[in-house]
Amino acid sequence: MQLKGAGNMEEYRELAAAIPPFVRYVLTTLEAAGFEAYCVGGCVRDLLLRRTPGDWDMTTSARPEQTMALFGNCALPTGLKHGTVTVCSGMNRVETTTFRTDGAYADHRHPEQVTFTDSLQEDLSRRDFTVNAMAMELAGRLHDPFHGREDLKNGVLRCVGEPEKRFSEDALRILRAIRFSAQLDFEIEKETFEAISVIAPNLAKVSKERIQMELTKLLCSEHPEKIREVYETGISTYVSPAFAALDWQNARVSAALPKEKYVRWAAFLRCGNSPENAVRVLRDLKLDNETVSRVKTLVTWADVTPAADEAEVRRMMSRMEPEVWDSLMELNGYGTEIRALVALIRGRGDCLSLKELAVKGQDLIAAGVKPGKEMGSMLHELLEHVL
């Protein structure tokens, strides 16, 4: 079947020139062996948006064992059951997957079985969204049977085929839809948006870790405010009870904030009205301990502005790591007066923590203080005097 292309020769040459050498090597090797091979999915979408792809995925007519044989020690069998081989060299990695069709999705996440095919059209038809269902040849020619290029131009996110069917296959796609709309600043097409609410209950079958990853990417995007759609579509009920109970309409998370995940989560979780609620949400979503600790600190001190006084600023700075303090200044929007005091304090090298205190535990022991709670209390009291 002839696939619909898009673009012109000048654009094809421009796209082809953007393919990195190692990706070009993988494509060339597969084609030289008589197989079809295409860049596919997000990397093609990003190239068309004039963005630098973070990952390079490839689809090919070669069966997994043929790809393994072609690339030898450079090939890793990362997903042979689903036709995936990762070709590596140093820091370069290209995930290559055989053209395939998917069987039933009994767990609403993964196909029970896949069938390899010789048809690029069939392979593209199983993908989630039209903007991710484009393939590109080594020479830059595009294959776009579902008009993903047009949706890119119009800023629309649309499922390939019937939205409810696509979302029923993999429930995580409902969160991916909102995450992509935030990252790309696209509107979700009406039928696709309506299907999200219908399929939302299936999200209960998805691991909290995967849900957290999508929410984190959403919050760290250029449009974190689109997290409201997680609530408007009813998805939040199936994230966790603590997450669903948040006062999300009063959330204040902005793209102007640093993109570190702990900062964006803290900005959003201020709407939980307490550090304990923030921690409960993050624990439900299996966030790592460092992120949980930093978010708790930021939420604790959110909306607290110290007096423009050196001692007051030093005390507040001492309650957290330096990078967390810097994030708090952004989160709370501290002005020039406080920032000038911070620069002065840091420039002088003022003591802000026990480890920077000139008096150590051994000094107190030498002065006759016994190790234990008394010593700890004394060191903290000394630090307060210094601050």
Side-chain angles (χ1 to χ4, degrees):
M1 178 178 180
Q2 182 64 38
L3 299 181
K4 296 178 181 178
N8 52 51
M9 293 307 297
E10 182 178 349
E11 183 183 45
Y12 293 157
R13 285 192 290 270
E14 181 183 349
L15 290 171
I19 299 175
F22 184 68
V23 179
R24 182 176 296 277
Y25 158 71
V26 177
L27 287 167
T28 302
T29 302
L30 286 163
E31 288 187 358
F35 301 110
E36 292 180 61
Y38 308 88
C39 296
V40 71
C43 60
V44 179
R45 178 198 68 226
D46 289 345
L47 283 181
L48 291 171
L49 291 171
R50 301 299 187 264
R51 300 181 176 190
T52 302
D55 301 296
W56 290 86
D57 294 328
M58 203 171 291
T59 187
T60 178
S61 61
R63 298 302 193 255
E65 64 274 11
Q66 293 170 319
T67 303
M68 292 287 293
L70 271 176
F71 294 99
N73 293 334
C74 291
L76 300 177
T78 48
L80 293 183
K81 178 182 176 182
H82 295 100
T84 301
V85 174
T86 302
V87 184
C88 307
S89 177
M91 298 298 292
N92 299 305
R93 299 174 69 87
V94 175
E95 194 172 90
T96 67
T97 302
T98 302
F99 297 162
R100 76 184 205 205
T101 58
D102 294 340
Y105 287 71
D107 64 352
H108 299 289
R109 274 292 290 128
H110 308 97
E112 287 188 326
Q113 62 181 29
V114 303
T115 302
F116 298 142
T117 176
D118 294 322
S119 168
L120 174 61
Q121 169 84 17
E122 289 183 345
D123 184 84
L124 295 178
S125 69
R126 70 178 176 82
R127 296 176 182 268
D128 52 7
F129 307 109
T130 61
V131 298
N132 295 334
M134 295 180 284
M136 185 179 75
E137 299 175 5
L138 176 62
R141 180 170 178 260
L142 292 173
H143 295 267
D144 181 20
F146 303 105
H147 310 290
R149 182 71 183 279
E150 183 178 344
D151 283 341
L152 275 184
K153 181 180 178 181
N154 294 328
V156 173
L157 195 71
R158 182 194 316 272
C159 279
V160 173
E162 300 175 18
E164 286 192 28
K165 182 176 186 294
R166 287 283 87 84
F167 291 146
S168 293
E169 292 169 343
D170 181 353
L172 192 62
R173 286 172 175 168
I174 64 176
L175 260 182
R176 282 166 58 84
I178 297 174
R179 187 254 293 181
F180 278 129
S181 76
Q183 288 181 323
L184 302 173
D185 193 21
F186 280 16
E187 290 298 318
I188 301 175
E189 178 265 337
K190 183 175 181 292
E191 188 179 352
T192 300
F193 190 84
E194 291 173 350
I196 292 174
S197 297
V198 175
I199 305 301
N202 288 356
L203 197 69
K205 304 183 189 315
V206 178
S207 74
K208 298 301 184 186
E209 290 86 351
R210 294 307 302 268
I211 291 172
Q212 177 267 121
M213 287 173 64
E214 292 298 326
L215 290 173
T216 296
K217 289 177 182 177
L218 194 169
L219 286 171
C220 290
S221 73
E222 292 299 324
H223 293 276
E225 73 281 357
K226 288 203 172 189
I227 198 165
R228 68 178 185 274
E229 295 181 358
V230 176
Y231 290 87
E232 292 169 350
T233 55
I235 290 176
S236 61
T237 301
Y238 307 98
V239 173
S240 81
F243 183 88
L246 292 172
D247 184 17
W248 62 274
Q249 290 177 313
N250 288 317
R252 291 171 289 160
V253 55
S254 162
L257 292 169
K259 287 188 177 181
E260 285 88 349
K261 67 179 179 180
Y262 76 92
V263 179
R264 293 293 180 93
W265 270 110
F268 172 62
L269 289 173
R270 282 185 294 183
C271 71
N273 299 317
S274 77
E276 293 73 26
N277 285 337
V279 169
R280 192 172 296 114
V281 170
L282 298 181
R283 292 293 186 204
D284 285 346
L285 292 173
K286 314 295 185 186
L287 266 293
D288 60 277
N289 290 334
E290 181 181 44
T291 298
V292 173
S293 175
R294 288 185 167 194
V295 170
K296 182 180 180 181
T297 298
L298 287 178
V299 173
T300 298
W301 294 95
D303 303 316
V304 176
T305 301
D309 171 77
E310 284 188 37
E312 185 74 14
V313 172
R314 271 196 300 269
R315 284 194 183 93
M316 199 160 162
M317 290 175 70
S318 74
R319 301 299 189 260
M320 61 199 78
E321 301 163 280
E323 57 268 33
V324 177
W325 167 260
D326 290 338
S327 298
L328 185 69
M329 287 200 293
E330 298 302 319
L331 192 68
N332 286 345
Y334 292 159
T336 54
E337 196 171 12
I338 290 177
R339 289 175 184 268
L341 285 175
V342 171
L344 178 67
I345 289 165
R346 284 177 169 171
R348 282 196 309 242
D350 288 5
C351 171
L352 297 172
S353 67
L354 286 175
K355 67 180 180 181
E356 296 170 321
L357 201 61
V359 176
K360 306 297 181 185
Q362 57 265 35
D363 298 312
L364 296 183
I365 292 173
V369 179
K370 294 181 179 180
K373 289 184 178 179
E374 182 185 0
M375 178 185 292
S377 298
M378 193 172 292
L379 286 170
H380 279 95
E381 187 176 348
L382 289 170
L383 176 61
E384 284 301 316
H385 281 296
V386 171
L387 292 172

